[in-house]
Amino acid sequence: MTHIAHWIGGAERAGTSGRVGPVYNPATGEQTAEVDLASTAEVGAAVAVAKAAARAWRSASLSKRSAILFKFRELLAERTGELAAIITAEHGKVLADAAGEVARGLENVEFATGIPHLMKGSFSEQAATGVDVYSIRQPLGVVAGITPFNFPAMVPLWMCATAIAAGNAFVLKPSEKDPSAALWLARLWAEAGLPDGVFNVVNGDKEAVDALLVHPDIAAVSFVGSTPIAKYIYETGTSHGKRVQALGGAKNHMIVLPDAELDAAADAAISAGYGAAGERCMAISVVVAVGDIADPLVEAIAARLPKIKIGNGADQDVDMGPLISAQHRDKVAGYIAAGASEGATVVADGRGLAGEAGFFLGATLLDNVTPSMTVYTDEIFGPVLSIVRVATYAEAVDLVNNNEYGNGTAIFTRDGGAARQFQFDVNAGMVGVNVPIPVPVAYYSFGGWKASLFGDSHMYGPDGIQFFTRGKVVTSRWPDPGTSAIDLGFPQTR
């Protein structure tokens, strides 16, 4: 059985806590590895190494940082298939989806290669007589990322590429359910020439998380996960003086207006609802059918479900893999049962696969769901798609806006006026028009509203640069020494 250690100071470091956690192949249900779970002392050792490395790294020229980012980008592009296979083996998503995850992470690396431009400040000559004023951005020092199981490569790359390019040292605490991708990235950073200690990985559970949140040398924490944990991360981190961005859960709606192209909408609902077995924070979990499109839309979605091939994600012809664990599979199955008992119509029931080897659950479709049902109110995070029927566009928008989450939403229509009005009306951080999963490209920023985000900063892109740096304004005068004189009055700009 494989043993997964930490990565500290440019090398693997075996754990000393005496605690380990199991790592499974979700497609077979077999344990394939054990991962060290860091103690508070081990986290402190990693932070100390990062702090020492940060002093030299922040002094490295922007050109040198950019060159290392370019090399890292080149290596990652060349070895996408290798990393995708690691993701599939521990997460369960199909290879094509895993490769797509790496590609979206790669976009963030490409954005970060432009750090010489992104770190430019501003300059005002002659703000006062003989005085110039200019602004600069400087790194924070040591920053941490706490990342979820569903994107073991992409989400770390959302954080670390920008943080490292900006001159910080980075400590990553990946999910203990699928930690191998983080160690693989660590080796790639080393191969790209990143100095030892600038990128570190500490595997662990809540003890490691809490150690990062309270450590005095951690300046900022970036997090993606469920809303209750995001709230905890934000409150604990900020109470210890840290800058925190904590992205939480979601209940993403896809509104389908009566004029929408039916087949395109049905295809989008399938793709966005069941991709990665629904384990995406941007997955569509609720389709809001407006008016008389509801019956044909449900029929079109249901007709497509038997064509979804479910199996081991390592098989090239499989469309949907397993869930991450037996416990999560059973939890999602419980929501299906709850939906049926609360009055939803079970059009397709995926629980028939629950007895097979591996953590499988089939694509499930629930019709006539209402906002009072738990399948609507809770983030299920599995292959369960709910249909809510409403009569009008206004009802659909109210449904989205009254939900506690505000991560992403989409509208499907052929009416440009309705689409434009929707982007104005809807209270969500990311909006798609005939695009079911509107994840922003790397040169914009990712983040929701309401209970989907704690903190003021969205992730990656321009917001990422702002989050991982702080501004400083310099006021400068170089007077003629012969004109120097004492003046105790208030400094004047005119």
Side-chain angles (χ1 to χ4, degrees), residues 159-183:
M159 303 172 184
C160 71
T162 306
I164 289 171
N168 300 283
F170 193 86
V171 179
L172 172 63
K173 206 299 286 183
S175 170
E176 65 274 23
K177 293 181 174 68
D178 48 5
S180 292
L183 273 294

Side-chain angles (χ1 to χ4, degrees), residues 184-275:
W184 190 93
L185 290 173
R187 297 185 191 97
L188 206 71
W189 278 116
E191 187 174 345
L194 190 69
D196 294 347
V198 176
F199 181 82
N200 306 276
V201 178
V202 287
N203 291 302
D205 50 14
K206 187 176 184 297
E207 181 175 348
V209 169
D210 287 342
L212 290 170
L213 293 176
V214 304
H215 198 292
D217 290 330
I218 296 288
V221 176
S222 186
F223 171 82
V224 175
S226 68
T227 287
I229 304 303
K231 186 172 185 289
Y232 172 79
I233 295 286
Y234 180 76
E235 291 176 347
T236 306
T238 54
S239 71
H240 286 82
K242 304 184 190 319
R243 182 180 292 184
V244 179
Q245 54 178 186
L247 276 62
K251 198 72 181 179
N252 303 315
H253 297 66
M254 175 178 142
I255 295 175
V256 184
L257 296 187
D259 72 322
E261 207 290 314
L262 181 65
D263 287 335
D267 288 342
I270 293 288
S271 301
Y274 303 114

Side-chain angles (χ1 to χ4, degrees), residues 336 338-347 366-370 373 375 386:
I336 300 171
S341 67
E342 292 173 3
T345 303
V346 183
V347 179
L366 304 178
D367 193 8
N368 299 304
V369 172
T370 66
M373 297 178 182
V375 292
S386 297

